[in-house]
Amino acid sequence: MKILVLGGGGREHALVWKLNQTPRVEKVWCAPGNAGIAAEAECIAIDAGDIGAIVAFAEKAHPDLTIVGPELPLVNGLTDAFRQRNWPIVGPSQQAAQLEGSKIFSKEFLRRHHIPTAKMYGTYDSAADVYRALHSAPFPLVIKADGLCAGKGVFLAPDFAAAKDFVERVMEKNELGSGGKRILLEETLEGEELSFIILTDGKRYAPLVPTRDHKRVFDGNQGPNTGGMGAYSTDELLPDELPEIVRSKIVEPTLRGLAADGIPYQGFLYIGLMLTSSGPKVLEFNCRLGDPEAQVILARLDFDLAEILSDVAAGRLNPSKLRWKPGASACVVLTSGGYPGKFESGKRIDGLTAAEGITGVKVLHAGTKLAGNALVTNGGRVLGVTAAAPNIESALASAYEAASRIHFAGMHYRKDIGAHATKLKAAGD
Ligand code: AMP
């Protein structure tokens, strides 16, 4: 098989790594890829959001399967362009990707199908209307910009002044661009968060192994939100009854709702949940694998990824074929100093060979490039040091030992990934 992977971060490196472990895969392209991916696949200098250029490339290269990593090509309609041409691709349609691309679409969907979620106070398309609503709204409340905002579109407002300031920046100063044209106000939920990710062909689905990620930049969940500073996976994470509750109350009603609305969903569906005292509730949908969740999920994979993803594209997923390594995995993200604020790129990276000498460790590249013969930093999140092991303690120990062998100027990482990797409380406790 010849496979095209779209994207250029740690998630896509993890996909390329696992695809290459399948004997049936003879060629992998990645657009645009990065320096780590370039050692394992042919990188194509095409932006993953450029639908026209990707279609033109596929027309010449004839990939047997295309796998979409990030959300932008999905929201831009890439899978629709491929399916019109009968080209196999894994990822939801443009319409289905609205579950991620529009918080209002997603909230209306959840309400229509009676799927548990935070109570909505209202949706607004002018700042004046939001200010009026805020006068009678209960605080704290959550303000969500409708469109894609690179993780900056959600604000937990403690009081009126903070809420007004956020709305002003989003709706009047357009700081988030067109993603901030409409706004949703909703109830604040309390509890522990859990990412529940499934793979589906629209009819059947398989849950992937459970994961948790760490979004804040500093230890102890301090500092601003990032794309993700690390993640871990272990089967012990979930209380026994929780998967069944999530399947019956959230996953299955979601797939039934999509089918009833005439928008069948095919690909990865990431469901962000809050485990509240009255049961799990949906915070958000993402229409793709998370990053760095993908790294820890794929590190535990024990099946032929190319075969399963081809089955998904063909609408014949057999969930019993998805097998996982027992034990655990962990990913520690190494970032440029200053991220998620201003940072410098072009810093020389050393120590990768020593890091990968540790059993079970794979260093997945995110923001890297080659400058002559030297590997240098090229982004906020630079590397995802990933380890699989028989238990979470040894997965974390290996990932941290490997991270300590890597150096670049300004390098930062959290020291407490998975530190509280205790079983989540059962919903309703
Ligand atoms: P979202 O992109 O909608 O998941 O929002 C990003 C983050 O904001 C989530 O991972 C939660 O930590 C938080 N969040 C979103 N909605 C709510 C809510 N209704 N109550 C409390 N926290 C929320």
Side-chain angles (χ1 to χ4, degrees), residues 95-116:
Q95 194 186 16
Q98 287 298 299
L99 282 184
E100 175 166 2
S102 164
K103 302 268 187 205
I104 295 175
F105 175 94
S106 146
K107 183 61 84 182
E108 285 169 351
F109 170 84
L110 289 162
R111 282 156 55 96
R112 186 159 63 246
H113 297 289
H114 310 290
I115 299 164

Side-chain angles (χ1 to χ4, degrees), residues 103 118 142 144 154 156 186-190 193 215 225 274 283-284:
K103 302 268 187 205
V142 179
K144 295 187 172 180
V154 175
L156 277 58
E186 70 178 32
E187 164 200 21
T188 303
L189 296 178
E190 281 174 24
E193 286 187 49
K215 284 261 186 289
N225 264 328
M274 187 74 92
L283 289 175
E284 64 165 337

Side-chain angles (χ1 to χ4, degrees), residues 186-250:
E186 70 178 32
E187 164 200 21
T188 303
L189 296 178
E190 281 174 24
E192 293 183 284
E193 286 187 49
L194 171 73
S195 320
F196 199 90
I197 309 178
I198 61 162
L199 178 62
T200 176
D201 65 0
K203 299 185 284 294
R204 289 154 296 246
Y205 72 91
L208 310 185
V209 283
T211 59
R212 294 194 86 191
D213 72 336
H214 301 261
K215 284 261 186 289
R216 304 293 193 99
V217 70
F218 299 125
D219 286 11
N221 292 329
Q222 301 296 310
N225 264 328
T226 68
M229 296 298 293
Y232 61 93
S233 169
T234 153
D235 291 334
E236 281 88 64
L237 194 59
L238 301 186
D240 293 343
E241 73 285 9
L242 191 60
E244 191 42 47
I245 295 174
V246 173
R247 288 172 81 133
S248 62
K249 298 238 183 313
I250 312 252

